[in-house]
Amino acid sequence: MNDDRRLARILGDPSRRTFLGLTGAAMALAFTTNLADPWTARSGGGDGYPFQLGVASGDPLPHGVILWTRLAVRPLEPLGGMPYGRIKVDWEIAEDPRFARRAIRGSTWAAPEYGHSVHVDVRGLRPCREYFYRFRACGEISPVGRTKTAPAVRSSPGRLLMAFASCASWPDGFYTAYRHLANENADVILHLGDYIYEYGIAASGGTRNTPVPDQLRVQCDTLDRYRIQYGLYKSDPDLQAAHQSAPWIVTWDDHEVLDNWAGFAGPGGEVTPEDFLVIRANGFRAYWENLPMRLPRPVDGPDARIYRRFTFGDLAEFNVLDTRQYRDDQACGDGPRHDCAERLDPARTMLGAQQEKWLLDGLGATGARWNVLAQQIAMCQLDDDPAPAQRLSMDMWDGYRAAKERVINGMAERRVSNPVVLTGDFHNNVAGELKTNFDDPASPTVGVEFIGTSISSGGNGSAAIGLPAGGSDPVNPHIRFSSYQRGYVACDITRARWQTDFKVVPYVDRVGAPVSTRGSLVALNGVPGLQVL
Ligand SMILES: [Fe+2]
């Protein structure tokens, strides 16, 4: 959940603050890709073209990567207009976009049981290499995607370009930020959830003012309904460009299922607990069908494990978390709350016992310089009441204080090298410092948190709201930057420092917005906390 007015409340009246202007040069839109390949020119899409949902790659390993596509000739139908039968799909991957060097080829089946999705787990690749891939099916050739393998486990990479994004409500605006993300030349892109929103979509298509058919009007519940929601979202050419540009590592938040679901707890009301588990399973299944992930582990009852770890040599390790599936229900009825004693209950869990142990064990054994928690909800304390009283969100880590302290203190006790928490959900850009006690600004800083804004959720946003990089918020003194604009986050990670650039677009209610860097903050190796450029 997210309330787009939260930041305005957290930061109080904008008039009492000073603001920096846009710090980066506005860049012209570059709506061309550098994947110039004569094969793609042959297949321009249109009626009967089975690759209308694009291609993607993900979960990069030193010697392997997942290649994804989903066949659909009519994406807004449950099976994408495909026949109820298996379809042979050829794939190939090579070191050049003309598929001349070291190509590996294979064939697989797109099956109706899985919405005609294809997940090829390619092995035998070389570490830290750029590759290009494409598919063939039904006599047509897919667009070409670029991907990259992870560095070798025992290597010492000098640099990693990573970008992350979250929260892309289709009816809230255009995906211009995804288009700019595609031009980042990232080694890897993380998506931290709210890839779709489950809500029904108005006939007008919301802010996009693009008519959408009746079958999208109701909220997602059945597998078919989730599939057509993905069909709509993934038809967007800017999203497709972002997928084609780099491998993605994804995790879900709440809206891939239902707003603010928690473990086995759904929204209540007319949705019974039994119905909720069915809806949740449908959401999980549709998510996997539509994203470039490895097959889930064997089913564990109604659960689907997606927390997992990716290692980029000794430079960075990414602990990709699931803060929805195993958490206790939100305290005090959810929402922003003053004085909620329940949130302090030490028995409350955010990650569940198994994932929490997996995380802390991994952090205890890591040899990486930068240790990343790629996850959904804000870990820094975010008090949105400008008065001395605290009002905190019961949906975020603030509503699970003991669990938060187990993670932050657990990292401090293990002397984890350079912890970096990456966060979605909040629809605002925020940079903050992780404290052992957020109520005591003098308490030790253990690491940093970068919260990325939304791609489109919440509409245009406002350049007038925010805290300039290096500013200080009297209510939340550990927060060093914020902005309420749409965009994504680009991170340049080297052995000496981690630089985060918050990239923003001025509007999403029409196409063609330029991108600029609103704030840049740096973490130095071995120096807890944030520096401002
Ligand atoms: Fe969101």
Side-chain angles (χ1 to χ4, degrees):
M1 158 158 104
N2 186 320
D3 180 345
D4 281 300
R5 287 155 303 190
R6 262 181 69 80
L7 187 75
R9 289 202 302 269
I10 288 170
L11 299 174
D13 176 6
S15 65
R16 70 184 166 89
R17 301 184 179 280
T18 57
F19 300 106
L20 292 181
L22 299 179
T23 54
M27 288 164 54
L29 277 178
F31 273 18
T32 56
T33 74
N34 54 9
L35 305 175
D37 173 36
W39 289 70
T40 57
R42 217 188 86 183
S43 302
D47 267 3
Y49 186 59
F51 297 107
Q52 295 187 33
L53 302 180
V55 299
S57 69
D59 283 3
L61 303 174
H63 297 285
V65 70
I66 296 288
L67 305 182
W68 174 95
T69 192
R70 183 182 148 214
L71 305 182
V73 291
R74 291 188 295 279
L76 302 188
E77 295 181 10
L79 271 189
M82 304 301 289
Y84 204 89
R86 295 198 309 169
I87 295 172
K88 185 163 176 269
V89 179
D90 302 320
W91 56 269
E92 62 181 331
I93 183 166
E95 291 182 358
D96 68 299
R98 293 181 181 275
F99 295 87
R101 275 186 293 141
R102 294 176 66 89
I104 303 175
R105 298 186 178 85
S107 297
T108 187
W109 295 94
E113 299 93 300
Y114 303 109
H116 294 101
S117 63
V118 169
H119 297 75
V120 180
D121 196 351
V122 181
R123 299 297 170 117
L125 303 177
R126 297 202 281 189
C128 207
R129 284 262 170 176
E130 190 174 64
Y131 284 92
F132 299 85
Y133 62 94
R134 62 185 172 184
F135 300 88
R136 292 185 186 84
C138 311
E140 300 276 5
I141 298 164
S142 77
V144 175
R146 168 196 178 263
T147 191
K148 193 167 181 183
T149 49
V153 172
R154 294 189 206 292
S155 66
S156 292
R159 190 178 188 196
L160 177 69
L161 298 176
M162 181 275 290
F164 68 97
S166 63
C167 296
S169 169
W170 189 93
D172 276 9
F174 291 95
Y175 286 167
T176 318
Y178 273 144
R179 176 66 65 166
H180 291 297
L181 173 60
N183 292 328
E184 286 287 339
N185 193 35
D187 295 317
V188 62
I189 291 171
L190 307 188
H191 198 287
L192 303 180
D194 292 358
Y195 184 93
I196 63 158
Y197 284 69
E198 77 280 19
Y199 302 124
I201 298 175
S204 65
T207 301
R208 293 191 180 217
N209 204 19
T210 304
V212 297
D214 286 346
Q215 62 265 35
L216 288 142
R217 209 73 73 238
V218 299
Q219 180 160 303
C220 292
D221 46 12
T222 64
L223 178 54
D224 281 352
R225 178 65 189 87
Y226 278 107
R227 281 174 172 165
I228 63 172
Q229 197 82 337
Y230 281 97
L232 176 71
Y233 274 64
K234 295 187 75 79
S235 296
D236 185 283
D238 295 339
L239 173 57
Q240 291 185 13
H243 275 299
Q244 277 176 255
S245 73
W248 286 34
I249 295 172
V250 302
T251 184
W252 54 45
D253 193 15
D254 54 336
H255 289 288
E256 287 84 352
V257 178
L258 293 178
D259 184 33
N260 277 23
W261 67 280
F264 290 156
E270 292 181 1
V271 180
T272 66
E274 294 78 11
D275 284 347
F276 172 67
L277 277 189
V278 174
I279 292 171
R280 201 183 83 151
N282 292 336
F284 290 175
R285 169 73 164 267
Y287 185 78
W288 176 76
E289 287 180 355
N290 284 280
L291 285 155
M293 305 168 69
R294 281 198 176 74
L295 267 172
R297 297 191 170 212
V299 172
D300 180 14
D303 292 344
R305 174 175 162 171
I306 66 164
Y307 65 84
R308 60 208 192 282
R309 185 174 285 127
F310 294 92
T311 304
F312 285 67
D314 68 355
L315 182 61
E317 187 158 271
F318 295 88
N319 299 277
V320 181
L321 305 184
D322 179 350
T323 61
R324 289 287 166 193
Q325 194 174 176
Y326 313 103
R327 66 156 77 186
D328 287 316
D329 204 0
Q330 288 88 350
C332 298
D334 203 358
R337 293 281 182 268
H338 290 100
D339 300 324
C340 170
E342 186 188 353
R343 81 180 184 93
L344 306 176
D345 180 350
R348 288 175 58 70
T349 185
M350 176 65 90
L351 300 174
Q354 197 175 334
Q355 181 180 196
E356 187 176 298
K357 181 177 188 309
W358 168 89
L359 174 63
L360 291 172
D361 286 351
L363 290 168
T366 175
R369 180 154 298 196
W370 302 96
N371 288 282
V372 182
L373 276 58
Q375 52 97 57
Q376 294 79 9
I377 35 108
M379 192 173 280
C380 277
Q381 181 166 289
L382 294 173
D383 174 6
D384 72 358
D385 187 342
Q390 278 183 344
R391 182 170 55 184
L392 304 170
S393 167
M394 294 302 103
D395 187 53
M396 302 188 198
W397 283 92
D398 282 336
Y400 302 75
R401 195 170 90 171
K404 167 160 60 171
E405 289 174 353
R406 288 196 296 274
V407 172
I408 293 178
N409 295 339
M411 293 193 292
E413 288 160 9
R414 288 164 180 76
R415 300 181 181 281
V416 173
S417 173
N418 301 312
V420 179
V421 174
L422 306 179
T423 302
D425 175 64
F426 196 46
H427 303 185
N428 295 273
N429 285 311
V430 177
E433 297 179 339
L434 295 168
K435 311 294 286 187
T436 56
N437 179 2
F438 285 97
D439 293 322
D440 175 10
S443 71
T445 296
V446 175
V448 296
E449 179 174 21
F450 300 112
I451 303 176
T453 189
S454 61
I455 290 288
S456 58
S457 303
N460 282 344
S462 169
I465 299 172
L467 183 69
S472 67
D473 176 355
V475 179
N476 299 288
H478 44 278
I479 299 301
R480 307 294 306 284
F481 166 78
S482 64
S483 95
Y484 178 50
Q485 292 162 292
R486 306 289 84 94
Y488 60 93
V489 186
C491 301
D492 185 350
I493 306 161
T494 66
R495 306 192 74 77
R497 61 180 221 157
W498 172 307
Q499 177 170 330
T500 290
D501 293 334
F502 290 96
K503 303 283 185 107
V504 299
V505 292
Y507 51 84
V508 295
D509 61 351
R510 54 199 193 281
V511 299
V515 68
S516 63
T517 301
R518 179 61 188 256
S520 294
L521 294 100
V522 165
L524 298 175
N525 174 39
V527 183
L530 293 167
Q531 326 287 321
V532 179
L533 285 187

